[in-house]
Amino acid sequence: MEEWYHYPLLIAVGFVVGFINTVAGGGSLLSLPVLIFLGLPPAVANGTNRVAVIIQTAMGVAGFKSKGVSTYPFNVYLGIAALLGSLIGAYMAVDVKGETFNRILAVVMVIVVLIIIFKPRIRIEDLQERLSGKYFWIAMASFFFIGIYGGFINAGIGFIIILFLHFINRLSLVKANATKVAVVFIYTLGALMVFAWNEKVVWQVGLVLAVGNGLGAWVSSRVSVNKGDGFIKTFLVVMVVIMAVKLWFFNS
């Protein structure tokens, strides 16, 4: 933050990231490189980014709630499971090398693309929510492992959460989105504590980025509810393609 223009740059980037993350996911692929460009080591950029993610998801939750969209207490249970996993993931991430980020993320995005291509079709009339019984426990166990990845890198996790909730728990994309932001908010609290404890957070930078993230998340949460599932599905596919192209050229 040595130059004055770093502040408006971070706020602008944060707004875009907050909008993208709340509608689909993958926004951290933009914020992390920007933070590294500003001089933060990869592990510190990873930790600092969590400050903005917390504000972004808090605003997203508020935005969805203002529209009457919530899966409470289901989202809280999943958030707790993911929180336990995120503590493990964050400890792993503290000293990880920067190149590892792209390798893991590339694998994740290939899986996401395959799911989108070969996913079964669900008719709206067949979209009966499955939030109890075995599906509840499947979700709890799965979100523990999702939390590990979220604590480790977090980038792209929105795709995984939305697809899981849509096809396993049969939530509409709007409800899956609302659940996602609540879960990410809860587990990111734990991950941030780990990064902060290991002195991997630059609070000034994170809070400036958070201003933009919060605004973008608030706008996005309300737009996604108004536009419905079709808007989210289109945005999801577009973001996956963009991320895959970026990873391909970046790693080549």
Side-chain angles (χ1 to χ4, degrees):
M1 303 291 289
E2 297 178 354
E3 303 291 342
W4 68 267
Y5 63 83
H6 288 172
Y7 291 91
L9 172 64
L10 278 178
I11 293 175
V13 169
F15 181 87
V16 175
V17 169
F19 190 97
I20 291 172
N21 276 342
T22 305
V23 173
S28 291
L29 278 182
L30 175 60
S31 57
L32 286 175
V34 169
L35 292 173
I36 294 172
F37 170 77
L38 293 178
L40 300 185
V44 177
N46 192 8
T48 301
N49 188 54
R50 307 308 175 104
V51 179
V53 170
I54 284 180
I55 301 300
Q56 159 205 302
T57 49
M59 294 297 289
V61 170
F64 280 115
K65 188 175 181 180
S66 72
K67 288 290 187 177
V69 181
S70 175
T71 57
Y72 177 84
F74 181 68
N75 54 4
V76 174
Y77 292 138
L78 296 188
I80 293 173
L83 171 63
L84 298 176
S86 74
L87 297 176
I88 298 173
Y91 274 111
M92 294 168 55
V94 167
D95 297 315
V96 73
K97 294 182 179 180
E99 308 86 66
T100 306
F101 279 33
N102 290 328
R103 293 173 182 174
I104 295 177
L105 192 55
V107 174
V108 171
M109 293 320 302
V110 168
I111 294 173
V112 171
V113 170
L114 290 175
I115 292 175
I116 290 178
I117 293 175
F118 297 107
K119 65 178 176 62
R121 294 183 179 275
I122 299 180
R123 296 181 302 173
I124 297 298
E125 56 269 25
D126 294 334
L127 201 60
Q128 297 181 350
E129 295 180 358
R130 304 188 296 196
L131 307 183
S132 60
K134 68 176 182 180
Y135 294 104
F136 172 80
W137 294 110
I138 289 173
M140 289 289 287
S142 299
F143 270 78
F144 171 77
F145 292 102
I146 288 174
I148 293 178
Y149 176 76
F152 185 71
I153 294 181
N154 197 66
I157 197 168
F159 299 131
I160 302 171
I161 293 178
I162 289 176
L163 291 174
F164 183 95
L165 293 173
H166 186 58
F167 291 106
I168 302 300
N169 297 111
R170 296 292 176 87
L171 293 179
S172 68
L173 290 179
V174 171
K175 277 196 171 183
N177 233 348
T179 304
K180 176 200 70 179
V181 294
V183 170
V184 175
F185 171 75
I186 294 171
Y187 80 64
T188 302
L189 289 172
L192 178 60
M193 287 191 293
V194 173
F195 281 106
W197 178 262
N198 289 275
E199 300 181 342
K200 300 295 184 181
V201 178
V202 180
W203 293 98
Q204 178 186 2
V205 176
L207 290 172
V208 173
L209 181 65
V211 172
N213 275 51
L215 292 173
W218 176 260
V219 172
S220 178
S221 62
R222 298 176 69 82
V223 168
S224 63
V225 172
N226 292 333
K227 295 293 185 180
D229 282 12
F231 172 76
I232 296 175
K233 182 178 180 180
T234 301
F235 203 96
L236 190 66
V237 172
V238 170
M239 284 308 303
V240 167
V241 172
I242 292 175
M243 288 177 68
V245 170
K246 180 182 184 299
L247 286 170
W248 176 269
F249 285 105
F250 187 80
N251 286 315
S252 60

